[in-house]
Amino acid sequence: MKQHNKAVLGLLVLLVLASVTYLFTVYTDTFGERDSYRMLLGMIDSIAFDKPLGARKIYGSNISFAYYALLDFFRPIFKADLTHIVPIMNYVNAAFAILMVIPFFFFVRRYWGTLIALLANILLLILPVWRVTGQYPHPMTGSMVFMFIGLALIGYRSFLNSLSLGWKKLILWDVLIVTAFALCLMFRLDAILMFPMIPACLLLERYPLKKIVYPSILYSILPVIIFKVMQAQLAYIKDKEGDGIFEQLLLWNNPARYVDQFVRGSLLFIWGLNPLLCLIFLISCVYLFYKRRYSYILFILPTVIINYIFWLPNPAPARHFIYLSPVVAISIAILVADIFPKVRTLLKNNTKIEVALAAFLIFSLVISNKYSYSAPLSKPYSYGLMRLGTELQQLEPKGKPIFVIGDTLPIAAQMQLISKETKVSPEETNILTDESVRAQEKSAIKPKLQYVNVLNVENQKNKFTFYIQGFPTKIKEIDRFLSETDKYDGYYLVVNMLDKNGKKIDFDPSSFSKKLDILKL
């Protein structure tokens, strides 16, 4: 009973810690990532024009439809005031990040005990890729919650099975497990990259190999079938040809990108985990091999390796590596729980040395965290874009269209939030991106061509064309783009590039090869 009470108390403390962390750091009326703004533009399009779920002009609607179905519960609130979309999306994701504590705690506790369950939850909260993604909306967070609900249910089903209750009473738990994994996929299809944990979980239950195969197939294949059946019910309308799942894999996971992105992807992998924690994770893997804890290794390493390989050619943002964060936290927690008592014994319970060592580790972690993953869009940066969107929306009629260079997805979203009458439509031009030009020149295996995308925005006063990726690093590409087309001759030009603190970067638009009339705001 005492152990049970300690576990409950520990869980409550973790929930309070997670709540304080996320509710005080969550974004409110802006987002921390551009993909969140892609989702927002689709949400506005759906709500303003009463489009069905699958018809959304929205990022990932065909692979995250359960997430958008959840947001549909708030449709009456959104219709009354579009500005409620942003805070509700933020807080829904924060709620998932907080709720993750519960299934993750019970899952880890079953196989490694209460202490490691507490440590793993704290470490998960420290890992940048998990902590940061919980601050703004993305369906990956919810998918991970359902994944660990399913894994925790597998453990509980095994416990019930040990009581010899009979298969009829266990079938309900099978249904719940399959449902949890199906919801995991319906929130985000690429969460299937966590499915190696399913047979590994059964291995932790010490099932013989023959008894692992059938449940693994049941718990892995049925959720995929349910996903496909539910997906088929959507009135899904593609924005363009070639935006299916297979086409996206060909675009982002082609061999040329593995070569081109290897160094960058590896650095983002380390950055997302925190360099110091990444090093400790590698040490923990060596430790597990040394201790011959092969069932632990089979639970941890396959998920890490598969996710690393899959996301390596498409590593940005580092949030892509989020699926491996729980197993990394578990691995480090096992090492810490095993080593800490031995270190104390070695130091002969010398309190001063222990305090000094703890202070050194905390200081090292804080320093390392400065060189770790942070939200792609800081709050000052996103507020700066919000202000520009407001300025453009309120701009008096100028008599001719305006070409806007900047981080324009958030700008367009802000204009639509102000007025749902503002029309936003994406357009793929016939001009290649610089990255695609380089890939065609370097690679013997020609990857799929990528063209520059723009947004056509029209309100009641003006027409705009937004260069979507108008970043300082894209100046050469923008210059080439303007020089290779005469479509935007006669447009006004607005250049608004910000640093990470939201301050405007000095840039002279007259340096472009093609001269356009500069419009200063």
Side-chain angles (χ1 to χ4, degrees):
M1 180 63 83
K2 287 183 178 180
Q3 289 295 324
H4 176 74
N5 290 340
K6 286 181 180 179
V8 171
L9 179 62
L11 178 59
L12 291 174
V13 170
L14 288 172
L15 283 169
V16 170
L17 180 62
S19 298
V20 170
T21 299
Y22 289 112
L23 295 180
F24 278 92
T25 61
V26 67
Y27 283 66
T28 50
D29 46 2
T30 62
F31 292 146
E33 192 183 312
R34 292 171 187 90
D35 283 350
S36 299
Y37 282 103
R38 290 186 175 93
M39 293 190 290
L40 174 60
L41 286 168
M43 290 291 297
I44 295 171
D45 180 69
S46 171
I47 292 159
F49 300 102
D50 287 319
K51 293 183 179 180
L53 180 65
R56 285 190 172 125
K57 186 169 53 181
I58 196 169
Y59 156 85
S61 62
N62 60 330
I63 62 170
S64 300
F65 49 85
Y67 172 75
Y68 296 115
L70 172 63
L71 293 177
D72 261 1
F73 281 107
F74 301 97
R75 182 178 283 260
I77 299 173
F78 296 158
K79 290 195 79 169
D81 187 347
L82 291 177
T83 59
H84 290 318
I85 300 176
V86 174
I88 287 177
M89 287 179 70
N90 279 319
Y91 281 106
V92 164
N93 201 64
F96 274 120
I98 294 167
L99 290 173
M100 176 68 171
V101 168
I102 300 172
F104 190 53
F105 177 85
F106 283 111
F107 169 76
V108 178
R109 181 171 178 257
R110 173 156 180 85
Y111 304 109
W112 293 284
T114 301
L115 175 61
I116 293 178
L118 292 169
L119 287 172
N121 263 285
I122 293 169
L123 284 162
L124 184 62
L125 196 61
I126 293 172
L127 285 169
V129 68
W130 171 259
R131 185 186 71 254
V132 170
T133 308
Q135 297 171 5
Y136 54 81
H138 201 281
M140 278 180 157
T141 311
S143 72
M144 292 177 68
V145 174
F146 285 109
M147 181 69 197
F148 276 89
I149 288 174
L151 293 174
L153 287 173
I154 287 176
Y156 190 66
R157 184 197 182 281
S158 297
F159 167 72
L160 294 176
N161 189 41
S162 68
L163 302 178
S164 302
L165 296 178
W167 68 270
K168 289 184 179 180
K169 293 184 179 180
L170 295 175
I171 198 167
L172 171 64
W173 297 100
D174 287 326
V175 171
L176 291 174
I177 291 165
V178 169
T179 301
F181 290 144
L183 284 169
C184 169
L185 295 182
M186 289 188 284
F187 261 69
R188 182 75 176 183
L189 179 59
D190 53 29
I192 200 169
L193 297 171
M194 294 188 287
F195 271 33
M197 286 191 279
I198 295 173
C201 180
L202 295 167
L203 188 63
L204 289 173
E205 291 290 345
R206 298 180 181 178
Y207 285 2
L209 186 60
K210 289 182 179 179
K211 288 191 176 181
I212 290 175
V213 174
Y214 171 72
S216 296
I217 294 173
L218 174 71
Y219 299 151
S220 300
I221 301 301
L222 274 183
V224 174
I225 294 171
I226 293 171
F227 171 89
K228 292 301 295 181
V229 170
M230 296 302 294
Q231 187 190 48
Q233 308 309 309
L234 298 175
Y236 183 61
I237 301 173
K238 292 183 178 181
D239 286 336
K240 59 182 179 180
E241 290 300 318
D243 67 343
I245 296 168
F246 183 68
E247 290 84 353
Q248 290 298 307
L249 287 174
L250 287 177
L251 173 62
W252 295 108
N253 292 77
N254 65 76
R257 288 188 63 88
Y258 275 95
V259 175
D260 187 48
Q261 298 289 325
F262 177 77
V263 173
R264 179 172 179 247
S266 299
L267 289 173
L268 286 172
F269 171 82
I270 296 169
W271 193 40
L273 295 180
N274 180 306
L276 178 60
L277 291 177
C278 188
L279 175 62
I280 296 173
F281 166 67
L282 294 175
I283 294 170
S284 72
C285 291
V286 173
Y287 175 77
L288 292 175
F289 271 108
Y290 173 73
K291 288 293 186 178
R292 298 182 180 181
R293 297 177 183 175
Y294 298 124
S295 60
Y296 297 178
I297 292 166
L298 288 172
F299 180 80
I300 293 162
L301 278 186
T303 299
V304 172
I305 292 169
I306 288 170
N307 276 272
Y308 172 76
I309 292 172
F310 182 84
W311 293 114
L312 185 63
N314 180 24
R319 180 255 305 153
H320 286 168
F321 296 105
I322 193 173
Y323 293 143
L324 53 84
S325 58
V327 294
V328 169
I330 292 170
S331 186
I332 297 173
I334 294 170
L335 175 67
V336 172
D338 281 9
I339 295 297
F340 182 71
K342 296 174 184 177
V343 172
R344 291 202 69 187
T345 302
L346 186 65
L347 296 176
K348 298 179 180 179
N349 294 324
N350 188 316
T351 305
K352 290 182 179 179
I353 297 177
E354 288 175 1
V355 171
L357 182 60
F360 174 75
L361 287 173
I362 293 170
F363 177 76
S364 300
L365 191 61
V366 170
I367 296 299
S368 182
N369 195 59
K370 289 187 176 181
Y371 300 94
S372 300
Y373 177 60
S374 57
L377 309 181
S378 68
K379 290 181 181 179
Y381 182 88
S382 58
Y383 278 118
L385 296 174
M386 188 177 176
R387 285 192 297 271
L388 179 61
T390 302
E391 287 181 33
L392 291 176
Q393 181 67 20
Q394 295 173 350
L395 200 62
E396 291 302 316
K398 293 299 174 182
K400 60 182 182 180
I402 302 166
F403 191 87
V404 181
I405 297 172
D407 198 347
T408 51
L409 280 172
I411 297 170
Q414 175 62 18
M415 292 175 70
Q416 274 203 310
L417 286 175
I418 294 172
S419 172
K420 64 181 180 181
E421 303 301 322
T422 301
K423 298 176 183 177
V424 177
S425 59
E427 177 190 345
E428 184 178 81
T429 69
N430 60 357
I431 298 174
L432 292 172
T433 64
D434 275 359
E435 184 179 2
S436 190
V437 170
R438 288 193 298 269
Q440 297 299 313
E441 292 172 352
K442 290 180 181 179
S443 177
I445 304 172
K446 303 299 182 186
K448 183 179 177 180
L449 296 175
Q450 285 182 275
Y451 296 94
V452 171
N453 287 285
V454 297
L455 286 178
N456 294 312
V457 180
E458 182 178 356
N459 62 14
Q460 294 175 327
K461 299 177 182 178
N462 293 291
K463 292 182 180 181
F464 306 84
T465 295
F466 287 175
Y467 198 96
I468 293 180
Q469 294 188 328
F471 315 137
T473 54
K474 295 277 189 177
I475 290 298
K476 290 184 179 179
E477 179 183 277
I478 297 167
D479 188 30
R480 179 175 59 82
F481 174 82
L482 290 173
S483 65
E484 290 182 10
T485 180
D486 57 4
K487 182 176 180 179
Y488 307 107
D489 292 359
Y491 277 52
Y492 280 119
L493 177 65
V494 171
V495 178
N496 191 83
M497 292 182 287
L498 308 177
D499 64 18
K500 64 179 181 180
N501 296 315
K503 295 180 180 179
K504 192 168 183 177
I505 296 172
D506 289 330
F507 174 75
D508 184 8
S510 64
S511 62
F512 284 135
S513 303
K514 181 168 285 187
K515 308 304 177 185
L516 299 177
D517 293 335
I518 309 301
L519 180 62
K520 292 185 178 181
L521 301 179

